[in-house]
Amino acid sequence: MSEPITIEMLERRIDRLRGELRRAATTGDRMQARALRAELRQAEHAWDDALADLEDQARPAPQPVHKPMLSIREQVHHALTLLTVPAAPKLIIAVHDAFFPGELVAARLTSLRRDEERSFRVQPFGRPYYLCPALTADLLSPARGLLALSTWPLETRVVGPLSARVDFLIGAIKVAQRVAQLPEDAHDARRLLWRFAASIPGAGGAGITPGSVAELAQAELDVHLDADTADRAAAAIRAQERLDGSEALFGARLQRLRRTASKA
């Protein structure tokens, strides 16, 4: 039984025939050259067939699956949606790193609010949501270093004297509820929960659980919630009366506040 002809054998044969054909053409042996040319064409056709067989037999290499990259807006939106309250960039990054894939870079948050306001002014309400600052309850101006979602009611987006603590406790409860749904080896999420617990009386120390953190946070929240809700509701009413569409999202400008005060 003859050995099957491989594509490597055909390639060596083609190289040999080309060399012999070149020599026959150089010496002027036309009869030998014609015979070699016919044999070379036959070998080249066989090589084409062998290559086609290899292509048919080869399986395509699996292509890596690339998950679409989320924009920084979407990353911040995910973190704020989990917290449900205004938050500082440092907390937003911590929540994103604990619960969501990808990397949220702190430096990219610096100009985010200005970019959102610029986009709103170019095409008002052209997006499903905007990342906007929380508003101070007294001046209805942008609260320094706090981001919120435009889809939240004004009562959530304005912050008063008690709001920092109230929002911290609400965030702790939301984080605890999410951690309770995760496996025990979700270390990043649990480390974030322990950081919340360290600032809640009775929640720190050994043996803490998501349930105990949420329970103790709720107990303290009940003490402050009514007063904070009243402050925020009053500020929201003033904001609805005094601010236009853009200012209701991004806050009253300092120049306008000065004009208003001088008229008063």
Short mmCIF file of all heavy atoms in Angstrom, two decimals, residues 18-76:
data_model
loop_
_atom_site.label_atom_id
_atom_site.label_comp_id
_atom_site.label_asym_id
_atom_site.label_seq_id
_atom_site.Cartn_x
_atom_site.Cartn_y
_atom_site.Cartn_z
N ARG A 18 10.15 22.93 -10.41
CA ARG A 18 10.48 24.29 -10.84
C ARG A 18 11.98 24.43 -11.12
O ARG A 18 12.39 25.09 -12.08
CB ARG A 18 10.04 25.30 -9.78
CG ARG A 18 8.53 25.52 -9.75
CD ARG A 18 8.13 26.39 -8.59
NE ARG A 18 6.69 26.71 -8.63
CZ ARG A 18 6.01 27.24 -7.64
NH1 ARG A 18 6.64 27.51 -6.48
NH2 ARG A 18 4.72 27.48 -7.76
N GLY A 19 12.78 23.78 -10.26
CA GLY A 19 14.22 23.83 -10.50
C GLY A 19 14.61 23.13 -11.79
O GLY A 19 15.44 23.63 -12.57
N GLU A 20 14.03 21.94 -12.03
CA GLU A 20 14.34 21.21 -13.25
C GLU A 20 13.83 21.95 -14.49
O GLU A 20 14.50 21.96 -15.54
CB GLU A 20 13.72 19.80 -13.19
CG GLU A 20 14.34 18.91 -12.13
CD GLU A 20 13.66 17.56 -12.03
OE1 GLU A 20 12.68 17.34 -12.79
OE2 GLU A 20 14.08 16.72 -11.20
N LEU A 21 12.66 22.59 -14.36
CA LEU A 21 12.13 23.34 -15.50
C LEU A 21 13.02 24.53 -15.82
O LEU A 21 13.26 24.85 -17.00
CB LEU A 21 10.70 23.81 -15.18
CG LEU A 21 9.99 24.67 -16.22
CD1 LEU A 21 9.89 23.94 -17.56
CD2 LEU A 21 8.59 25.07 -15.73
N ARG A 22 13.54 25.18 -14.79
CA ARG A 22 14.44 26.31 -15.03
C ARG A 22 15.71 25.85 -15.75
O ARG A 22 16.18 26.53 -16.67
CB ARG A 22 14.77 26.97 -13.69
CG ARG A 22 15.62 28.24 -13.84
CD ARG A 22 15.79 28.97 -12.53
NE ARG A 22 16.43 28.14 -11.52
CZ ARG A 22 15.81 27.58 -10.48
NH1 ARG A 22 14.51 27.77 -10.32
NH2 ARG A 22 16.48 26.83 -9.62
N ARG A 23 16.25 24.70 -15.34
CA ARG A 23 17.46 24.22 -15.99
C ARG A 23 17.19 23.82 -17.44
O ARG A 23 17.99 24.08 -18.35
CB ARG A 23 18.02 23.03 -15.21
CG ARG A 23 18.71 23.42 -13.91
CD ARG A 23 19.47 22.25 -13.32
NE ARG A 23 18.56 21.19 -12.86
CZ ARG A 23 18.01 21.15 -11.65
NH1 ARG A 23 18.26 22.12 -10.78
NH2 ARG A 23 17.21 20.15 -11.32
N ALA A 24 16.01 23.16 -17.69
CA ALA A 24 15.67 22.76 -19.07
C ALA A 24 15.49 23.98 -19.96
O ALA A 24 15.92 23.99 -21.13
CB ALA A 24 14.40 21.91 -19.07
N ALA A 25 14.87 25.03 -19.41
CA ALA A 25 14.69 26.24 -20.19
C ALA A 25 16.04 26.91 -20.46
O ALA A 25 16.27 27.48 -21.54
CB ALA A 25 13.75 27.21 -19.46
N THR A 26 16.97 26.81 -19.50
CA THR A 26 18.28 27.45 -19.67
C THR A 26 19.11 26.74 -20.74
O THR A 26 19.82 27.38 -21.52
CB THR A 26 19.03 27.44 -18.32
OG1 THR A 26 18.25 28.13 -17.34
CG2 THR A 26 20.39 28.13 -18.45
N THR A 27 19.00 25.41 -20.79
CA THR A 27 19.78 24.63 -21.78
C THR A 27 19.10 24.54 -23.13
O THR A 27 19.67 23.97 -24.07
CB THR A 27 20.01 23.21 -21.23
OG1 THR A 27 18.74 22.57 -20.99
CG2 THR A 27 20.82 23.25 -19.95
N GLY A 28 17.89 25.02 -23.25
CA GLY A 28 17.20 25.00 -24.53
C GLY A 28 16.51 23.69 -24.85
O GLY A 28 16.12 23.45 -26.00
N ASP A 29 16.32 22.80 -23.83
CA ASP A 29 15.65 21.51 -24.06
C ASP A 29 14.15 21.74 -23.99
O ASP A 29 13.52 21.58 -22.94
CB ASP A 29 16.12 20.51 -23.00
CG ASP A 29 15.67 19.08 -23.31
OD1 ASP A 29 14.77 18.92 -24.14
OD2 ASP A 29 16.20 18.15 -22.67
N ARG A 30 13.55 22.09 -25.12
CA ARG A 30 12.13 22.45 -25.14
C ARG A 30 11.23 21.27 -24.86
O ARG A 30 10.19 21.40 -24.18
CB ARG A 30 11.79 23.06 -26.49
CG ARG A 30 12.50 24.38 -26.76
CD ARG A 30 12.06 24.97 -28.07
NE ARG A 30 12.71 26.27 -28.31
CZ ARG A 30 12.51 27.00 -29.38
NH1 ARG A 30 11.69 26.57 -30.33
NH2 ARG A 30 13.13 28.17 -29.51
N MET A 31 11.58 20.08 -25.38
CA MET A 31 10.73 18.90 -25.15
C MET A 31 10.68 18.57 -23.66
O MET A 31 9.62 18.30 -23.09
CB MET A 31 11.27 17.72 -25.94
CG MET A 31 10.39 16.47 -25.84
SD MET A 31 10.99 15.13 -26.86
CE MET A 31 10.78 15.83 -28.50
N GLN A 32 11.86 18.60 -23.01
CA GLN A 32 11.89 18.33 -21.57
C GLN A 32 11.15 19.42 -20.80
O GLN A 32 10.45 19.15 -19.82
CB GLN A 32 13.36 18.25 -21.11
CG GLN A 32 13.55 18.01 -19.63
CD GLN A 32 13.09 16.63 -19.16
OE1 GLN A 32 12.71 15.78 -19.99
NE2 GLN A 32 13.12 16.41 -17.86
N ALA A 33 11.26 20.66 -21.26
CA ALA A 33 10.60 21.76 -20.59
C ALA A 33 9.09 21.62 -20.66
O ALA A 33 8.38 21.88 -19.68
CB ALA A 33 11.03 23.09 -21.20
N ARG A 34 8.56 21.19 -21.85
CA ARG A 34 7.11 21.01 -21.97
C ARG A 34 6.62 19.91 -21.03
O ARG A 34 5.59 20.03 -20.38
CB ARG A 34 6.75 20.68 -23.42
CG ARG A 34 6.71 21.89 -24.34
CD ARG A 34 5.95 21.57 -25.62
NE ARG A 34 6.64 20.52 -26.38
CZ ARG A 34 7.58 20.73 -27.29
NH1 ARG A 34 7.97 21.97 -27.55
NH2 ARG A 34 8.13 19.72 -27.95
N ALA A 35 7.36 18.83 -20.95
CA ALA A 35 6.96 17.71 -20.09
C ALA A 35 7.00 18.13 -18.62
O ALA A 35 6.09 17.82 -17.85
CB ALA A 35 7.90 16.52 -20.32
N LEU A 36 8.04 18.87 -18.24
CA LEU A 36 8.14 19.33 -16.85
C LEU A 36 7.05 20.35 -16.51
O LEU A 36 6.51 20.36 -15.40
CB LEU A 36 9.52 19.95 -16.61
CG LEU A 36 10.69 18.96 -16.57
CD1 LEU A 36 12.02 19.71 -16.57
CD2 LEU A 36 10.60 18.06 -15.35
N ARG A 37 6.71 21.22 -17.48
CA ARG A 37 5.67 22.22 -17.25
C ARG A 37 4.32 21.54 -17.01
O ARG A 37 3.55 21.94 -16.11
CB ARG A 37 5.60 23.19 -18.42
CG ARG A 37 4.66 24.38 -18.15
CD ARG A 37 4.71 25.38 -19.28
NE ARG A 37 5.97 26.13 -19.28
CZ ARG A 37 6.91 25.98 -20.20
NH1 ARG A 37 6.76 25.12 -21.20
NH2 ARG A 37 8.04 26.69 -20.12
N ALA A 38 4.01 20.47 -17.79
CA ALA A 38 2.76 19.74 -17.61
C ALA A 38 2.73 19.04 -16.26
O ALA A 38 1.72 19.03 -15.55
CB ALA A 38 2.59 18.72 -18.75
N GLU A 39 3.87 18.45 -15.88
CA GLU A 39 3.95 17.77 -14.58
C GLU A 39 3.82 18.78 -13.44
O GLU A 39 3.19 18.49 -12.41
CB GLU A 39 5.27 17.01 -14.49
CG GLU A 39 5.35 16.11 -13.27
CD GLU A 39 6.63 15.29 -13.23
OE1 GLU A 39 7.38 15.32 -14.22
OE2 GLU A 39 6.87 14.63 -12.20
N LEU A 40 4.41 19.97 -13.63
CA LEU A 40 4.33 21.01 -12.60
C LEU A 40 2.88 21.47 -12.42
O LEU A 40 2.42 21.66 -11.29
CB LEU A 40 5.23 22.19 -12.97
CG LEU A 40 5.19 23.40 -12.03
CD1 LEU A 40 5.62 23.01 -10.62
CD2 LEU A 40 6.07 24.52 -12.57
N ARG A 41 2.17 21.69 -13.54
CA ARG A 41 0.75 22.12 -13.43
C ARG A 41 -0.06 21.07 -12.69
O ARG A 41 -0.92 21.38 -11.88
CB ARG A 41 0.17 22.37 -14.82
CG ARG A 41 0.61 23.70 -15.43
CD ARG A 41 -0.30 24.09 -16.58
NE ARG A 41 -0.18 23.14 -17.67
CZ ARG A 41 0.65 23.29 -18.71
NH1 ARG A 41 1.46 24.35 -18.75
NH2 ARG A 41 0.70 22.40 -19.67
N GLN A 42 0.21 19.79 -12.98
CA GLN A 42 -0.52 18.71 -12.32
C GLN A 42 -0.24 18.72 -10.81
O GLN A 42 -1.15 18.55 -9.99
CB GLN A 42 -0.11 17.36 -12.93
CG GLN A 42 -0.87 16.17 -12.35
CD GLN A 42 -0.44 14.87 -12.99
OE1 GLN A 42 0.54 14.82 -13.76
NE2 GLN A 42 -1.15 13.80 -12.70
N ALA A 43 1.02 18.94 -10.43
CA ALA A 43 1.39 18.97 -9.01
C ALA A 43 0.75 20.19 -8.32
O ALA A 43 0.31 20.10 -7.17
CB ALA A 43 2.91 19.00 -8.87
N GLU A 44 0.72 21.33 -9.03
CA GLU A 44 0.12 22.53 -8.44
C GLU A 44 -1.38 22.36 -8.23
O GLU A 44 -1.95 22.82 -7.23
CB GLU A 44 0.41 23.74 -9.32
CG GLU A 44 1.87 24.19 -9.24
CD GLU A 44 2.18 25.28 -10.23
OE1 GLU A 44 1.44 25.44 -11.23
OE2 GLU A 44 3.19 26.00 -10.02
N HIS A 45 -2.07 21.68 -9.20
CA HIS A 45 -3.50 21.41 -9.02
C HIS A 45 -3.72 20.50 -7.82
O HIS A 45 -4.67 20.69 -7.04
CB HIS A 45 -4.07 20.77 -10.29
CG HIS A 45 -4.19 21.71 -11.44
ND1 HIS A 45 -4.62 23.02 -11.30
CD2 HIS A 45 -3.94 21.54 -12.78
CE1 HIS A 45 -4.63 23.62 -12.48
NE2 HIS A 45 -4.21 22.73 -13.41
N ALA A 46 -2.84 19.49 -7.69
CA ALA A 46 -2.97 18.58 -6.54
C ALA A 46 -2.74 19.33 -5.23
O ALA A 46 -3.39 19.07 -4.21
CB ALA A 46 -1.96 17.43 -6.69
N TRP A 47 -1.79 20.31 -5.26
CA TRP A 47 -1.54 21.12 -4.05
C TRP A 47 -2.76 21.97 -3.69
O TRP A 47 -3.13 22.08 -2.53
CB TRP A 47 -0.32 22.02 -4.30
CG TRP A 47 0.08 22.80 -3.08
CD1 TRP A 47 0.93 22.41 -2.11
CD2 TRP A 47 -0.36 24.12 -2.73
NE1 TRP A 47 1.06 23.39 -1.15
CE2 TRP A 47 0.27 24.46 -1.51
CE3 TRP A 47 -1.21 25.03 -3.32
CZ2 TRP A 47 0.07 25.67 -0.88
CZ3 TRP A 47 -1.42 26.24 -2.68
CH2 TRP A 47 -0.79 26.57 -1.47
N ASP A 48 -3.42 22.55 -4.72
CA ASP A 48 -4.64 23.34 -4.47
C ASP A 48 -5.72 22.47 -3.84
O ASP A 48 -6.43 22.91 -2.91
CB ASP A 48 -5.15 23.94 -5.78
CG ASP A 48 -4.27 25.07 -6.28
OD1 ASP A 48 -3.55 25.66 -5.46
OD2 ASP A 48 -4.31 25.36 -7.49
N ASP A 49 -5.89 21.23 -4.35
CA ASP A 49 -6.91 20.34 -3.79
C ASP A 49 -6.58 19.97 -2.35
O ASP A 49 -7.47 19.92 -1.49
CB ASP A 49 -7.00 19.07 -4.65
CG ASP A 49 -7.56 19.35 -6.04
OD1 ASP A 49 -8.21 20.39 -6.21
OD2 ASP A 49 -7.34 18.52 -6.96
N ALA A 50 -5.29 19.71 -2.08
CA ALA A 50 -4.90 19.34 -0.72
C ALA A 50 -5.13 20.50 0.25
O ALA A 50 -5.55 20.31 1.40
CB ALA A 50 -3.42 18.91 -0.70
N LEU A 51 -4.84 21.73 -0.22
CA LEU A 51 -5.06 22.89 0.64
C LEU A 51 -6.55 23.08 0.93
O LEU A 51 -6.94 23.40 2.06
CB LEU A 51 -4.50 24.14 -0.04
CG LEU A 51 -4.63 25.44 0.75
CD1 LEU A 51 -3.84 25.36 2.06
CD2 LEU A 51 -4.15 26.63 -0.08
N ALA A 52 -7.41 22.86 -0.08
CA ALA A 52 -8.86 22.97 0.12
C ALA A 52 -9.35 21.95 1.13
O ALA A 52 -10.21 22.24 1.96
CB ALA A 52 -9.58 22.81 -1.21
N ASP A 53 -8.75 20.73 1.09
CA ASP A 53 -9.14 19.70 2.06
C ASP A 53 -8.77 20.13 3.48
O ASP A 53 -9.53 19.92 4.43
CB ASP A 53 -8.46 18.37 1.72
CG ASP A 53 -9.04 17.74 0.45
OD1 ASP A 53 -10.17 18.12 0.08
OD2 ASP A 53 -8.35 16.90 -0.16
N LEU A 54 -7.58 20.73 3.62
CA LEU A 54 -7.17 21.21 4.94
C LEU A 54 -8.10 22.29 5.47
O LEU A 54 -8.44 22.31 6.66
CB LEU A 54 -5.73 21.76 4.87
CG LEU A 54 -4.60 20.73 4.77
CD1 LEU A 54 -3.26 21.45 4.65
CD2 LEU A 54 -4.58 19.81 5.98
N GLU A 55 -8.52 23.20 4.60
CA GLU A 55 -9.43 24.27 5.01
C GLU A 55 -10.77 23.71 5.44
O GLU A 55 -11.40 24.22 6.39
CB GLU A 55 -9.60 25.27 3.88
CG GLU A 55 -8.34 26.08 3.60
CD GLU A 55 -8.49 26.97 2.37
OE1 GLU A 55 -9.42 26.70 1.57
OE2 GLU A 55 -7.71 27.91 2.21
N ASP A 56 -11.24 22.66 4.73
CA ASP A 56 -12.52 22.05 5.10
C ASP A 56 -12.44 21.34 6.44
O ASP A 56 -13.41 21.32 7.21
CB ASP A 56 -12.96 21.06 4.02
CG ASP A 56 -13.34 21.77 2.72
OD1 ASP A 56 -13.63 22.98 2.78
OD2 ASP A 56 -13.33 21.12 1.65
N GLN A 57 -11.27 20.74 6.73
CA GLN A 57 -11.13 19.96 7.95
C GLN A 57 -10.88 20.85 9.17
O GLN A 57 -11.20 20.46 10.30
CB GLN A 57 -9.97 18.98 7.81
CG GLN A 57 -10.22 17.90 6.75
CD GLN A 57 -8.95 17.11 6.45
OE1 GLN A 57 -7.95 17.24 7.15
NE2 GLN A 57 -9.00 16.30 5.40
N ALA A 58 -10.28 22.01 8.93
CA ALA A 58 -9.92 22.88 10.06
C ALA A 58 -11.16 23.48 10.69
O ALA A 58 -12.08 23.94 10.01
CB ALA A 58 -8.98 23.99 9.59
N ARG A 59 -11.20 23.49 12.01
CA ARG A 59 -12.30 24.13 12.75
C ARG A 59 -11.90 25.56 13.06
O ARG A 59 -10.76 25.80 13.48
CB ARG A 59 -12.59 23.39 14.05
CG ARG A 59 -13.12 21.98 13.84
CD ARG A 59 -13.41 21.33 15.17
NE ARG A 59 -13.96 19.99 15.00
CZ ARG A 59 -14.30 19.20 16.00
NH1 ARG A 59 -14.13 19.62 17.26
NH2 ARG A 59 -14.80 18.00 15.79
N PRO A 60 -12.81 26.49 12.90
CA PRO A 60 -12.46 27.88 13.22
C PRO A 60 -12.12 28.02 14.69
O PRO A 60 -12.78 27.45 15.55
CB PRO A 60 -13.72 28.67 12.84
CG PRO A 60 -14.83 27.66 12.87
CD PRO A 60 -14.21 26.36 12.46
N ALA A 61 -11.10 28.79 14.97
CA ALA A 61 -10.68 29.03 16.36
C ALA A 61 -11.77 29.80 17.09
O ALA A 61 -12.37 30.73 16.54
CB ALA A 61 -9.38 29.80 16.39
N PRO A 62 -12.09 29.39 18.31
CA PRO A 62 -13.12 30.13 19.06
C PRO A 62 -12.71 31.57 19.27
O PRO A 62 -11.57 31.86 19.65
CB PRO A 62 -13.20 29.37 20.39
CG PRO A 62 -11.88 28.67 20.51
CD PRO A 62 -11.46 28.33 19.11
N GLN A 63 -13.64 32.47 19.01
CA GLN A 63 -13.38 33.89 19.18
C GLN A 63 -13.64 34.30 20.63
O GLN A 63 -14.63 33.88 21.22
CB GLN A 63 -14.27 34.72 18.24
CG GLN A 63 -14.00 34.45 16.76
CD GLN A 63 -12.60 34.85 16.36
OE1 GLN A 63 -12.12 35.91 16.77
NE2 GLN A 63 -11.95 34.02 15.57
N PRO A 64 -12.74 35.07 21.21
CA PRO A 64 -12.98 35.52 22.60
C PRO A 64 -14.23 36.37 22.68
O PRO A 64 -14.53 37.16 21.79
CB PRO A 64 -11.72 36.34 22.93
CG PRO A 64 -11.19 36.77 21.60
CD PRO A 64 -11.53 35.66 20.64
N VAL A 65 -14.96 36.16 23.77
CA VAL A 65 -16.19 36.91 23.98
C VAL A 65 -15.84 38.19 24.74
O VAL A 65 -15.33 38.14 25.86
CB VAL A 65 -17.22 36.08 24.78
CG1 VAL A 65 -18.46 36.90 25.06
CG2 VAL A 65 -17.55 34.81 24.02
N HIS A 66 -16.09 39.30 24.11
CA HIS A 66 -15.80 40.59 24.75
C HIS A 66 -17.12 41.22 25.20
O HIS A 66 -17.99 41.51 24.38
CB HIS A 66 -15.09 41.53 23.77
CG HIS A 66 -13.74 41.02 23.35
ND1 HIS A 66 -12.66 40.99 24.20
CD2 HIS A 66 -13.31 40.52 22.16
CE1 HIS A 66 -11.61 40.50 23.56
NE2 HIS A 66 -11.97 40.20 22.33
N LYS A 67 -17.24 41.38 26.49
CA LYS A 67 -18.42 42.07 26.99
C LYS A 67 -18.32 43.55 26.66
O LYS A 67 -17.25 44.13 26.73
CB LYS A 67 -18.53 41.88 28.51
CG LYS A 67 -18.79 40.45 28.93
CD LYS A 67 -18.99 40.36 30.43
CE LYS A 67 -19.30 38.93 30.84
NZ LYS A 67 -19.51 38.81 32.31
N PRO A 68 -19.43 44.12 26.26
CA PRO A 68 -19.36 45.54 25.92
C PRO A 68 -18.93 46.37 27.13
O PRO A 68 -19.38 46.14 28.25
CB PRO A 68 -20.81 45.87 25.51
CG PRO A 68 -21.65 44.79 26.12
CD PRO A 68 -20.79 43.57 26.16
N MET A 69 -18.05 47.32 26.87
CA MET A 69 -17.56 48.18 27.94
C MET A 69 -18.66 49.17 28.33
O MET A 69 -19.29 49.79 27.48
CB MET A 69 -16.33 48.93 27.47
CG MET A 69 -15.12 48.05 27.23
SD MET A 69 -14.45 47.41 28.77
CE MET A 69 -13.79 48.93 29.47
N LEU A 70 -18.89 49.29 29.62
CA LEU A 70 -19.86 50.25 30.10
C LEU A 70 -19.21 51.63 30.16
O LEU A 70 -18.04 51.76 30.51
CB LEU A 70 -20.38 49.86 31.48
CG LEU A 70 -21.22 48.59 31.58
CD1 LEU A 70 -21.59 48.34 33.03
CD2 LEU A 70 -22.47 48.69 30.73
N SER A 71 -19.99 52.63 29.85
CA SER A 71 -19.48 53.99 29.97
C SER A 71 -19.40 54.36 31.45
O SER A 71 -20.01 53.71 32.32
CB SER A 71 -20.41 54.97 29.25
OG SER A 71 -21.66 55.05 29.93
N ILE A 72 -18.66 55.41 31.75
CA ILE A 72 -18.55 55.86 33.13
C ILE A 72 -19.92 56.27 33.67
O ILE A 72 -20.23 56.06 34.85
CB ILE A 72 -17.53 57.00 33.25
CG1 ILE A 72 -17.34 57.40 34.72
CG2 ILE A 72 -17.95 58.22 32.44
CD1 ILE A 72 -16.24 58.40 34.94
N ARG A 73 -20.77 56.83 32.81
CA ARG A 73 -22.12 57.20 33.24
C ARG A 73 -22.88 55.97 33.73
O ARG A 73 -23.54 56.01 34.78
CB ARG A 73 -22.91 57.82 32.08
CG ARG A 73 -22.40 59.13 31.55
CD ARG A 73 -23.30 59.68 30.46
NE ARG A 73 -24.55 60.18 31.00
CZ ARG A 73 -25.73 59.60 30.84
NH1 ARG A 73 -25.85 58.48 30.14
NH2 ARG A 73 -26.83 60.14 31.36
N GLU A 74 -22.79 54.88 32.96
CA GLU A 74 -23.52 53.67 33.33
C GLU A 74 -22.95 53.06 34.61
O GLU A 74 -23.71 52.54 35.44
CB GLU A 74 -23.45 52.68 32.18
CG GLU A 74 -24.20 53.12 30.94
CD GLU A 74 -23.93 52.22 29.75
OE1 GLU A 74 -22.74 52.04 29.40
OE2 GLU A 74 -24.90 51.71 29.16
N GLN A 75 -21.63 53.11 34.78
CA GLN A 75 -21.03 52.58 35.99
C GLN A 75 -21.50 53.34 37.23
O GLN A 75 -21.86 52.75 38.25
CB GLN A 75 -19.50 52.64 35.88
CG GLN A 75 -18.93 51.69 34.84
CD GLN A 75 -17.43 51.88 34.67
OE1 GLN A 75 -16.95 53.00 34.52
NE2 GLN A 75 -16.69 50.80 34.70
N VAL A 76 -21.50 54.67 37.13
CA VAL A 76 -21.97 55.49 38.26
C VAL A 76 -23.46 55.27 38.49
O VAL A 76 -23.92 55.20 39.64
CB VAL A 76 -21.66 56.98 38.00
CG1 VAL A 76 -22.27 57.85 39.09
CG2 VAL A 76 -20.15 57.21 37.92
#
